[in-house]
Amino acid sequence: MEGVTDSGLATLPASDRPDVAARLRTALLGASFTADGLLELLGAPAYAALARSETVPALRATRGDTPLETLVRLFLLQQPVPHARVAAMLPVDDLLESGWLTRAGGDEVAATVDVRPYGGPDGEDWFIVSDLGCAVGGAGGIGQRHEGVVLGVGGASTTLAGITVRTPVSAALDLGTGSGIQALHAAQHATRVTATDLNPRALHITALTLALSGAPAADLREGSLFEPVKEEETYDLIVSNPPFVISPGARLTYRDGGMSGDDLCRSLVQQAGDRLAEGGFAQFLANWQHVAGEDWQDRVRSWVPRGCDAWIVQREVQDVNQYAELWLRDSGDHRGDTAEYQARYDAWLDEFEARKVKGVGFGWITVRKTAAAVPSVTVEEWPHPIEQPLGETIRAHFDRLDYLREHDDADLLEGHFRLAVEVVQEQVGLPGAEDPEHVVLRQHRGMRRATKVDTVGAGFAGVCDGSLSAGRILDAIAQLMGEDPVLLRDRTPAQIRLLVEQGFLEPAG
């Protein structure tokens, strides 16, 4: 069959024709085939339906023959389109010759890959290439079972992009690049980007994503995780949305790591320390096992490499039944033979039972190479709403760690602080009561934390504008409350440390 490889996947466009990719990009932008253009054309309900892999509303919204409607049908909905209509807006002969398009029937053409418009963090118009039916919002959605299939944009990839620290760096490494989303982001603030993947098809598609998005080419290396990286190479930023799924066997390259349990995520985090330059960040999405008789926090804390600070956040926990069902549905097994589905489900539960696994946690892991004598490791559970992007929040967290390490209690009292932006104070109590039962400080950005403070803490935070030292503020509070200023100075630094650590207060200057 024309345009299909032996694996059953479509033949990919040539990755060595940047001229064709550049002309295609120009044509796509000229037709407003962008994230904003799609939303305007389809409307919010049909656009949201695409994210659920429901295409009927989008098909209904693209019944006309405008350039944008034609491109949506061609590249997102995988519908054959008349050759003449495409030739009026795209360099169709070059696209056929280089493999972006293939002939379908007598006078129609079809796309060989999904192309999804993707808005960059600063308004960039990018395009993510993936296998047919594998763009979130594409025609097929999840349910692809080819071993080497390459997916497009999903919730995990956008989560990782949002939490990544975005400071200018010399060298960035994207492990398990997939369709190149993280490499594309990194190319905006890294002088040099290296991307690895065990799947050569993924490297090919990453090259297409970068070229079609107008981004610099990356150093693409085939191999598993750190294997293609030389021992002497270090990076200022390492990111990975790895194949973290804890599954029996390794059926699907994009999600199943093939190691026992959560060993892949553990080894990935542990090996990152030797690959980081001083002050560099490594950021991962990961799954970890909740094992009977074991504290999950101790488990993931043991993964942190020596010489590194870490911040590990568990966002969700699923019991083993929920977890198995999630990933069996991801691969479309629930739509196949019932007996085969039940057998696979049983195999997952056998694996978990053998390892005494009761649940699986999902979250983020950030490690930073540090020269500190005693690194700091924070492990917490935070299932509550957050506000992305969090990259700056995460960078600031580690900056505050450095500040607190370098300042003892006496230094804190000499220090000047400001209340962080968009922190509000709430007083909680019965209506009509003279005094509140307690006072809460609440963040409306970033992690959106809330913390209860006593009267001193509330008064202290309320006047922190950077003009007075902490000690002078406490002396004034002591005078107002009739307390001993020496005792107040002795007991308050611990509360100040907590408020700084959690981002409610920021060192001024």
Side-chain angles (χ1 to χ4, degrees):
M1 180 178 175
E2 181 183 358
V4 177
T5 66
D6 291 341
S7 68
L9 295 170
T11 302
L12 294 174
S15 60
D16 59 352
R17 293 292 306 273
D19 57 320
V20 177
R23 292 175 64 194
L24 176 57
R25 172 176 171 79
T26 298
L28 296 178
L29 293 177
S32 296
F33 187 66
T34 62
D36 289 342
L38 283 185
L39 181 58
E40 184 176 349
L41 170 68
L42 302 178
Y47 193 78
L50 273 181
R52 302 190 299 269
S53 299
E54 295 292 348
T55 59
V56 171
L59 287 167
R60 291 173 62 87
T62 54
R63 288 170 170 171
D65 58 1
T66 66
L68 181 53
E69 288 170 297
T70 300
L71 291 174
V72 171
R73 282 186 163 258
L74 183 65
F75 285 117
L76 267 185
L77 303 177
Q78 278 83 65
Q79 301 297 305
V81 175
H83 181 284
R85 189 187 301 175
V86 177
M89 68 189 75
L90 299 177
V92 67
D93 291 337
D94 285 342
L95 294 174
L96 285 167
E97 188 271 331
S98 60
W100 287 93
L101 299 178
T102 187
R103 296 191 181 276
D107 62 348
E108 293 184 318
V109 295
T112 58
V113 287
D114 260 324
V115 176
R116 177 191 173 182
Y118 179 73
D122 296 316
E124 302 94 341
D125 288 315
W126 293 337
F127 301 96
I128 307 301
V129 180
S130 62
D131 271 313
L132 290 173
C134 293
V136 172
I142 61 175
Q144 295 290 325
R145 295 199 231 181
H146 294 296
E147 179 183 355
V149 73
V150 179
L151 302 190
V153 181
S157 53
T158 55
T159 293
L160 179 59
I163 69 172
T164 300
V165 175
R166 300 294 177 194
T167 54
V169 295
S170 296
L173 174 63
D174 176 15
L175 294 172
T177 186
S179 55
I181 299 162
Q182 310 308 324
L184 178 57
H185 278 277
Q188 311 310 304
H189 62 102
T191 304
R192 175 171 56 89
V193 176
T194 301
T196 74
D197 206 290
L198 180 65
N199 183 2
R201 190 175 183 86
L203 297 176
H204 191 139
I205 284 181
T206 290
L208 298 176
T209 289
L210 294 173
L212 195 57
S213 298
D219 178 6
L220 304 177
R221 304 183 190 180
E222 184 179 342
S224 178
L225 303 178
F226 285 109
E227 286 179 4
V229 180
K230 298 176 183 177
E231 288 187 9
E232 65 274 14
E233 290 181 301
T234 59
Y235 297 86
D236 308 292
L237 174 67
I238 299 172
V239 292
S240 184
N241 176 18
F244 54 68
V245 177
I246 300 171
S247 60
R251 296 172 59 206
L252 300 172
T253 303
Y254 74 86
R255 71 169 204 193
D256 301 323
M259 295 187 188
S260 175
D262 51 17
D263 282 354
L264 183 137
C265 291
R266 175 187 56 78
S267 61
L268 181 63
V269 176
Q270 289 179 337
Q271 293 173 28
D274 293 334
R275 307 298 186 179
L276 281 175
E278 190 65 34
F281 286 92
Q283 299 185 264
F284 312 102
L285 300 185
N287 275 176
W288 43 80
Q289 297 173 150
H290 283 231
V291 179
E294 175 185 279
D295 186 330
W296 72 267
Q297 294 195 1
D298 291 341
R299 184 181 190 86
V300 293
R301 187 178 284 109
S302 71
W303 295 1
V304 178
R306 295 181 61 183
C308 290
D309 295 320
W311 185 14
I312 301 171
V313 180
Q314 179 168 274
R315 294 287 291 156
E316 182 182 5
V317 183
Q318 291 183 314
D319 66 51
V320 293
N321 299 321
Q322 292 174 309
Y323 189 80
E325 291 162 13
L326 169 67
W327 294 109
L328 287 168
R329 288 179 176 272
D330 172 79
S331 54
D333 289 294
H334 64 299
R335 294 194 293 264
D337 179 75
T338 301
E340 183 179 344
Y341 170 77
Q342 292 177 341
R344 290 191 185 280
Y345 197 151
D346 215 26
W348 283 63
L349 297 186
D350 283 344
E351 286 280 321
F352 287 132
E353 185 176 345
R355 292 195 293 268
K356 299 181 180 180
V357 176
K358 303 300 182 183
V360 178
F362 167 80
W364 326 317
I365 297 177
T366 300
V367 300
R368 183 190 62 166
K369 195 69 171 282
T370 180
V374 182
S376 170
V377 177
T378 300
V379 183
E380 63 177 319
E381 186 164 13
W382 192 255
H384 312 294
I386 58 163
E387 182 180 292
Q388 286 272 38
L390 274 175
E392 178 58 23
T393 298
I394 290 174
R395 185 202 60 76
H397 167 86
F398 287 92
D399 284 350
R400 293 193 301 270
L401 282 183
D402 289 340
Y403 177 87
L404 292 173
R405 262 198 296 245
E406 295 164 2
H407 293 77
D408 61 18
D409 287 355
D411 294 330
L412 287 185
L413 294 175
E414 292 297 320
H416 294 238
F417 300 92
R418 291 192 183 93
L419 193 65
V421 176
E422 293 195 23
V423 171
V424 297
Q425 177 178 301
E426 301 173 357
Q427 296 186 351
V428 182
L430 294 173
E434 185 175 344
D435 296 313
E437 294 178 15
H438 58 265
V439 177
V440 174
L441 298 180
R442 187 179 302 278
Q443 300 169 349
H444 283 271
R445 297 177 63 183
M447 294 294 286
R448 295 183 177 177
R449 296 187 188 277
T451 187
K452 283 198 293 188
V453 291
D454 59 17
T455 304
V456 172
F460 181 86
V463 297
C464 277
D465 61 3
S467 60
L468 296 175
S469 70
R472 289 188 62 186
I473 293 173
L474 290 177
D475 290 344
I477 291 174
Q479 185 174 5
L480 286 171
M481 299 179 64
E483 291 201 29
D484 184 331
V486 175
L487 294 178
L488 194 61
R489 279 174 171 253
D490 284 344
R491 76 168 194 259
T492 307
Q495 190 171 184
I496 295 174
R497 283 187 181 278
L498 181 63
L499 292 175
V500 171
E501 180 182 343
Q502 294 189 344
F504 291 96
L505 295 178
E506 298 172 346

